[in-house]
Amino acid sequence: MVTNLHIPKDSAFDPARDGFGFRNPVGEVAVGSGGGPLFRRLGAVLYGKGLCFGMVAMALRRFSERSPDVSDHPLAELLPSREVLDEIRRYHVRQYTPRAVLAAVWDWLRSRGGRTDGVLGRLRLTGENPHLICFGPAANRRFLRCLLRAHAVAPYRVEAADGETRVYVYDPNYPGDRGRYVLFRRDASGDIKEFQYEGFGTRWGWGISLFPLSAIGDTARPRLRAIP
């Protein structure tokens, strides 16, 4: 039997509406073509492996500040135009600011190197200052490999069943998919000791940590327009 543990009050986050309708871009699409060779090389470092952090952060921020204004189109209606991708990159790069780096390092240390202990108790879902879930390095010999392949998703619902908890997420690698969740398993004593999501998981040397959306700072910009 599955029990719904937590859906934030007045929250109806839907990956098929509040997430982007296109897949997380990689390679040249993610990097962009402007700014000359030097900027493209820097872009390859910052964006070349994808814009998952920027897409998730932008989705959470727009959802938390949603407006009844008819010009505020759901992200799912936006096409990957240059304007939209530039805005995603603007969000994505903010993870490298000192404030964001400090927040990320603090939570990694707080979780004792990306361990699952206490993650569910601290997790804030969509709403005021929600968390991004970040899959990254644990304190082991796979640290650098996992750091380079880190991934971010947006949690929006938690359900529990016997011996496990599911945290449903918006993953920009799978646009519109409402069925994706991070699985947390409990040991015989009832403590969370393991997580699994796609190829990310405790058993493969991955860590998991929480990143507060507020750590990216002010991102106010004019609303993006849907392209017919």
Side-chain angles (χ1 to χ4, degrees):
M1 178 179 180
V2 175
T3 303
N4 190 333
L5 284 183
H6 184 39
I7 299 179
K9 184 178 180 181
D10 299 327
S11 171
F13 185 94
D14 181 356
R17 181 195 63 231
D18 301 304
F20 287 90
F22 55 86
R23 184 181 174 89
N24 176 22
V26 295
E28 292 183 5
V29 177
V31 173
S33 57
L38 179 60
F39 284 95
R40 285 198 293 274
R41 292 193 189 98
L42 178 60
V45 174
L46 299 179
Y47 317 121
K49 296 185 182 301
L51 301 174
C52 60
F53 182 93
M55 295 177 78
V56 169
M58 187 170 168
L60 288 175
R61 175 59 56 84
R62 280 172 64 92
F63 181 79
S64 66
E65 297 176 352
R66 60 195 184 285
S67 166
D69 189 321
V70 294
S71 67
D72 192 12
H73 294 278
L75 292 186
E77 296 181 5
L78 302 179
L79 297 179
S81 65
R82 179 174 179 177
E83 179 189 16
V84 170
L85 291 176
D86 282 349
E87 185 70 355
I88 293 172
R89 294 186 194 103
R90 189 174 72 87
Y91 272 81
H92 189 81
V93 77
R94 295 186 75 89
Q95 68 181 295
Y96 304 114
T97 63
R99 178 182 177 184
V101 170
L102 180 61
V105 171
W106 167 247
D107 193 83
W108 190 83
L109 293 173
R110 184 180 183 184
S111 63
R112 293 179 294 167
R115 295 177 60 171
T116 57
D117 309 43
V119 167
L120 293 179
R122 295 185 286 113
L123 179 64
R124 294 191 300 269
L125 305 184
T126 50
E128 184 177 353
N129 194 23
H131 280 121
L132 287 72
I133 290 180
C134 300
F135 307 118
N140 56 40
R141 62 184 181 181
R142 291 169 54 91
F143 183 94
L144 290 178
R145 184 171 185 271
C146 292
L147 180 64
L148 293 174
R149 296 177 58 214
H151 186 49
V153 294
Y156 64 92
R157 187 172 83 245
V158 178
E159 293 180 351
D162 293 339
E164 66 181 38
T165 298
R166 299 176 181 180
V167 178
Y168 283 81
V169 298
Y170 159 56
D171 186 337
N173 287 345
Y174 301 92
D177 192 339
R178 299 183 176 102
R180 309 202 68 78
Y181 58 85
V182 184
L183 180 64
F184 292 86
R185 291 193 177 93
R186 301 179 181 276
D187 60 16
S189 64
D191 296 326
I192 296 289
K193 294 297 183 183
E194 180 182 24
F195 84 91
Q196 181 178 337
Y197 178 76
E198 293 283 309
F200 306 99
T202 308
R203 65 181 64 183
W204 300 300
W206 286 86
I208 186 170
S209 57
L210 304 176
F211 181 91
L213 182 63
S214 60
I216 66 173
D218 183 20
T219 53
R221 274 288 182 89
R223 292 188 177 94
L224 294 170
R225 297 166 296 171
I227 300 176

